[in-house]
Amino acid sequence: MSAATLFESLAEELEERIHSGVLAAGDRLPSVRQACLARGISPSTVFQAYYLLEARGLVEARPRSGYYVRKPRRARGGPLAAAVQAPAATEVVISELIFDVLGSTRDAEVVPLGSAFAAAGLFPLAQLARCGARAMRQLPPAQLSAELTSGNTRLLQALRRRYGQHDIALAPQELVICNGAMEALGLCLQAVTRPGDVVALESPTFYAALQALERLHLRAVEVPTDPRLGVDPDALAELLARQKIAACWFMPNFQNPLGALMPPARKKALVALLAHHGVPLIEDDVYAELYHGIRRPRPAKAFDPAGGVLHCSSFSKCLAPGYRVGWAAAGRFAPQVQRLKMMSSLATAVPSQLALAEYLEQGGYERHLRGLRQALAASMARARALVLRHFPAGTRVSQPEGGYFLWLQLPAGVDTLALHREALEQGISTAPGQLFSADRRFRQALRLNAGHPDDARVEPAIAELGRMAAQIQRRARP
Amino acid sequence: MSAATLFESLAEELEERIHSGVLAAGDRLPSVRQACLARGISPSTVFQAYYLLEARGLVEARPRSGYYVRKPRRARGGPLAAAVQAPAATEVVISELIFDVLGSTRDAEVVPLGSAFAAAGLFPLAQLARCGARAMRQLPPAQLSAELTSGNTRLLQALRRRYGQHDIALAPQELVICNGAMEALGLCLQAVTRPGDVVALESPTFYAALQALERLHLRAVEVPTDPRLGVDPDALAELLARQKIAACWFMPNFQNPLGALMPPARKKALVALLAHHGVPLIEDDVYAELYHGIRRPRPAKAFDPAGGVLHCSSFSKCLAPGYRVGWAAAGRFAPQVQRLKMMSSLATAVPSQLALAEYLEQGGYERHLRGLRQALAASMARARALVLRHFPAGTRVSQPEGGYFLWLQLPAGVDTLALHREALEQGISTAPGQLFSADRRFRQALRLNAGHPDDARVEPAIAELGRMAAQIQRRARP
């Protein structure tokens, strides 16, 4: 067993004991010396495990004393509530509202709290442009048509190496490069469904998943999702026993909009449960690189020996927005996905692919990611503090361990679609909760983008938003 | 009336007289002086009209004598036959064969007679790379997210100008930039159909249209298509009267694989017929810039006041293969297409779009196109002469006025799928006729790519192919 696996399995074991209550809040973890002796592992392995638990917010270090189990994290007003399950599959017709709301986030004059993207200034755009020009000039013309396949060879190799770092061995033809993760996810969805099928989504879910279902004439069923731990495995098991589900589309790492991070053991169980029922898992993993802790969380794909996970990700959130380069590692469905890709858009832009291949080969990616993670973690902490200070009492806010979204549950009486509209008049966009469900639940919820650390308009805008919410609440009182 | 329109309408009128037999083969056109006097137009306008008719192969200049109507062009063995109409709508399941055959064209060792692309060396790739790098370095980061819309503003403007040159005024939000024409066509198709609908295609048709239908669970009905003039209007009218058709997907300019060029009057009548029945026309116009005559043929879109034509094109065949930039000018369906684009792949790669915008603003495009057209016309003429010399007696070959495909009809006994397989063993790819129909007609036909003028392997390969066809024919005889 490698050192990486050793410390991870120790962390996992302790995490399970904490969640099951064997280790309660305030309990001290075994000392590093005890743990080394008991398990025959090195102190650094123990430290790595404890750091990981700390990054996940489960334990805290007390100076000269050791590591202690923290109180369960909660926002002001108590933990976020998991959503109740939808009674039946819903035909998806959410697009109008989504386009209406998102259209507003494209205006540069509007403070982008409703945007899905972090600030473009966080990314090494000039360097990417240089890489792209260099690589395109060196590409022999005849190779251009050879590139019209599942992707540029150099980029495929770079991606394969990154999967290897997580001990994920891909099949030789498994990767298909797509026009962003959105195309990859859509093609995976199409590969495993037929019109009319039912697909299980998280609740709340990323609105683009709802749009993809709508586009492919699929029906949605929403599975209760814990704001911290992700999809509820019991609810999912019950659903699978009751109803024919063609596929699941989940985001186990830093779920959009909740920020939930599914613990490794839960991922493993999820994959096993779905394999048992023969249901493919489409895994949207675009935020995984944006962890605020010490290590990239493994995807569900890492626990999938049977090829039932269609893992999708992209560079749009972590390196190269606007380049539209994503990919699918689609397990045993890869041949179908590859054909659907060829049938729907033939191939992905070669200049974008080559710019990324050249950049990744240069070796600055890890340094860029470290800076980006720090910037986003700090920005999120500031935004969260502002929400707690300025929003009405009773507002609950998520505390994600990665990504750049905060999920707010506002007190009764605050309709967030109304808040969105009022805010937009003040030049502030938001993403109201109704966007994140096929049947427009989450009327009191709101997703805020905390990924614009250098935008001086953001902090006053959050304060202003809090005041507006309080006003709406006052107006709603009888 | 502008000069452009004047000479075009004169050419159109003469073309109609030729087709209707009023002007017969050998008849002399009015002298330039007569025409000027009779119509009150300038000599240069008359010359332009006659050049156009000459480029279309309808008239020929005789030194010191004037312009004469040519004998109807025909390949050896008589004109290509229009296909009979399919008896009923067919569910499309052609993909396996298409992937099988096309997989072979990607190998650089194989002579690319079956390829869909012209040689990449014909395109200004180094210049495009420089343009892309310059434009990307100058793009303010914050604009990147603003670019995630229907397309880059500069590129949209450049495209709009080109439409304007053909007197096509687009509605303000009509253009949507896509990941190649293939995505544009697929989105247009989806915008106007529901699963199970019937779509009319040419016969033979571009195999990607068959794949798009298959992917969207649509059924195909194939309309007889004249190898020179395109879709048979009478057959189409009869079909529309008989059956509910959700959309037509046609290529009026240099149809793939036939090379047919629909005359302007026929385009106009086609648009009117479809408008009468309320049937949208998806117009694939990717080869229009590759005319071998003197002027770009106008698209059907130019005859469409009602917004029923969804016009799609791209830069992949005429400027920037591998950049994956195409677009749809989708008439009254533009809002649906724009939403489907956002829902399926969000946006098109910004580096590719900016490279093209910068290149087009520089002004070298027309010069590049002139050189490209000359190279392709010469290459096509050489390839056609080789076919006539080396293929068995009774082989008929198209004589397109644009593009780079030849369509061959081989004599009885030559199964072109068998020929394809034998040729592939000798390192030569071909596109057998069966690819171009949902029910695998055209078993004696073959599409040859004549777009590789500098590839020394091409001419011996055509000769070798002819010998193989003769062998197969001999073997087939009792």
Side-chain angles (χ1 to χ4, degrees), chain A residues 95-96 106 120 133 141 144 148 179 183 190 194-195 211 215 217 321-322 324 339 343-347 349-350 352, chain B residues 96 106 117 120 133 141 144 148 179 183 190 194-195 211 215 217 321-322 324 339 343-347 349-350 352:
Chain A
S95 271
E96 286 298 326
R106 308 225 150 147
L144 255 185
L148 298 176
N179 194 32
E183 187 187 50
Q190 187 166 13
R194 299 266 312 177
Q211 291 180 309
R215 187 170 57 82
H217 308 289
R324 309 302 305 137
R339 288 179 173 205
M343 287 161 77
S344 49
S345 66
L346 189 62
V350 175
S352 286
Chain B
E96 286 296 327
R106 309 226 148 146
F117 287 88
L144 254 186
L148 297 175
N179 194 33
E183 188 187 49
Q190 188 165 13
R194 300 264 314 176
Q211 291 180 311
R215 188 170 57 82
H217 308 290
R324 308 303 305 136
R339 288 179 174 208
M343 287 161 79
S344 49
S345 67
L346 188 61
V350 175
S352 285

Side-chain angles (χ1 to χ4, degrees), chain A residues 14-324:
Chain A
L14 290 167
E15 185 167 348
E16 276 180 17
R17 282 204 242 167
I18 293 167
H19 288 315
S20 65
V22 174
L23 282 168
D27 281 358
R28 189 174 177 276
L29 296 194
S31 74
V32 173
R33 196 167 148 270
Q34 283 171 331
C36 290
L37 286 172
R39 301 176 160 257
I41 54 180
S42 73
S44 79
T45 302
V46 179
F47 271 119
Q48 275 187 288
Y50 288 8
Y51 290 156
L52 185 59
L53 293 172
E54 192 181 12
R56 290 187 183 154
L58 295 169
V59 305
E60 57 192 5
R62 295 185 191 161
R64 284 177 301 280
S65 169
Y67 282 83
Y68 290 80
V69 178
R70 283 180 58 175
K71 289 201 191 114
R73 274 166 324 154
R74 55 176 64 196
R76 186 165 50 153
L80 292 168
V84 294
Q85 188 159 340
T90 315
E91 194 164 357
V92 183
V93 284
I94 191 74
S95 271
E96 286 298 326
L97 177 64
I98 295 173
F99 287 114
D100 196 42
V101 169
L102 296 188
S104 65
T105 69
R106 308 225 150 147
D107 181 348
E109 300 298 309
V110 171
V111 188
L113 299 182
S115 166
F117 287 88
L122 295 169
F123 302 98
L125 299 177
Q127 211 177 334
L128 284 167
R130 278 194 301 274
C131 288
R134 188 162 54 235
M136 281 303 286
R137 276 198 307 269
Q138 289 164 359
L139 183 77
Q143 211 184 307
L144 255 185
S145 44
E147 295 292 333
L148 298 176
T149 59
S150 52
N152 170 263
T153 313
R154 289 165 60 189
L155 184 58
L156 286 168
Q157 272 167 1
L159 286 174
R160 195 176 294 280
R161 271 196 297 275
R162 291 191 74 81
Y163 276 93
Q165 287 163 7
H166 302 287
D167 301 320
I168 300 174
L170 298 179
Q173 303 293 322
E174 194 175 342
L175 273 176
V176 182
I177 295 184
C178 294
N179 194 32
M182 180 122 26
E183 187 187 50
L185 290 159
L187 296 176
C188 288
L189 187 62
Q190 187 166 13
V192 298
T193 59
R194 299 266 312 177
D197 281 353
V198 178
V199 174
L201 302 174
E202 290 146 325
S203 181
T205 191
F206 176 34
Y207 47 77
L210 297 172
Q211 291 180 309
L213 264 61
E214 184 176 340
R215 187 170 57 82
L216 297 173
H217 308 289
L218 301 167
R219 288 174 298 151
V221 58
E222 301 185 22
V223 185
T225 302
D226 185 277
R228 205 167 54 85
L229 306 174
V231 166
D232 180 335
D234 297 334
L236 181 64
E238 204 182 289
L239 173 69
L240 292 168
R242 199 180 63 215
Q243 195 174 351
K244 171 111 188 69
I245 300 293
C248 295
W249 171 329
F250 296 154
M251 300 182 70
N253 293 327
F254 314 128
Q255 198 261 357
N256 177 1
L258 291 172
L261 174 60
M262 192 180 275
R266 207 185 250 214
K267 285 175 183 152
K268 196 170 176 175
L270 169 70
V271 173
L273 174 70
L274 293 177
H276 174 72
H277 287 275
V279 175
L281 171 61
I282 298 166
E283 181 177 26
D284 179 356
D285 203 26
V286 297
Y287 297 103
E289 295 288 0
L290 304 181
Y291 56 89
H292 303 167
I294 52 159
R295 196 165 195 271
R296 185 202 197 282
R298 302 183 79 195
K301 174 86 180 168
F303 305 98
D304 172 39
V309 177
L310 301 91
H311 182 256
C312 298
S313 191
S314 88
F315 291 110
S316 301
K317 311 293 187 184
C318 55
L319 175 60
Y323 277 63
R324 309 302 305 137

Side-chain angles (χ1 to χ4, degrees), chain B residues 227-407:
Chain B
R228 204 168 54 85
L229 306 173
V231 166
D232 180 334
D234 298 333
L236 181 63
E238 202 182 292
L239 174 69
L240 292 168
R242 199 179 65 217
Q243 193 175 351
K244 171 113 190 68
I245 300 293
C248 295
W249 171 330
F250 296 155
M251 301 182 70
N253 292 328
F254 314 128
Q255 196 260 0
N256 177 0
L258 292 173
L261 174 61
M262 192 180 275
R266 206 184 252 213
K267 283 175 184 153
K268 198 170 176 176
L270 169 70
V271 173
L273 174 69
L274 293 177
H276 174 72
H277 287 276
V279 175
L281 170 61
I282 299 166
E283 181 178 25
D284 179 355
D285 202 25
V286 298
Y287 297 103
E289 296 287 2
L290 304 182
Y291 56 89
H292 303 166
I294 53 158
R295 198 168 193 270
R296 185 201 197 283
R298 302 183 78 195
K301 174 88 180 166
F303 304 97
D304 173 39
V309 177
L310 302 91
H311 181 255
C312 299
S313 191
S314 88
F315 291 110
S316 301
K317 311 291 187 185
C318 54
L319 177 60
Y323 277 64
R324 308 303 305 136
V325 174
W327 63 89
R332 64 174 189 269
F333 305 98
Q336 291 95 305
V337 171
Q338 187 154 350
R339 288 179 174 208
L340 282 170
K341 167 65 183 172
M342 283 183 61
M343 287 161 79
S344 49
S345 67
L346 188 61
T348 299
V350 175
S352 285
Q353 291 189 69
L354 273 179
L356 287 164
E358 181 91 6
Y359 177 87
L360 294 174
E361 288 168 12
Q362 276 191 177
Y365 188 33
E366 289 305 331
R367 201 179 58 236
H368 155 69
L369 283 175
R370 277 196 297 276
L372 178 64
R373 287 173 198 133
Q374 281 166 12
L376 292 177
S379 175
M380 185 109 99
R382 280 197 305 277
R384 193 165 183 279
L386 286 165
V387 167
L388 292 174
R389 187 177 321 141
H390 294 287
F391 273 67
T395 298
R396 295 178 292 177
V397 57
S398 63
Q399 189 170 12
E401 298 170 53
Y404 46 82
F405 293 129
L406 291 174
W407 181 249

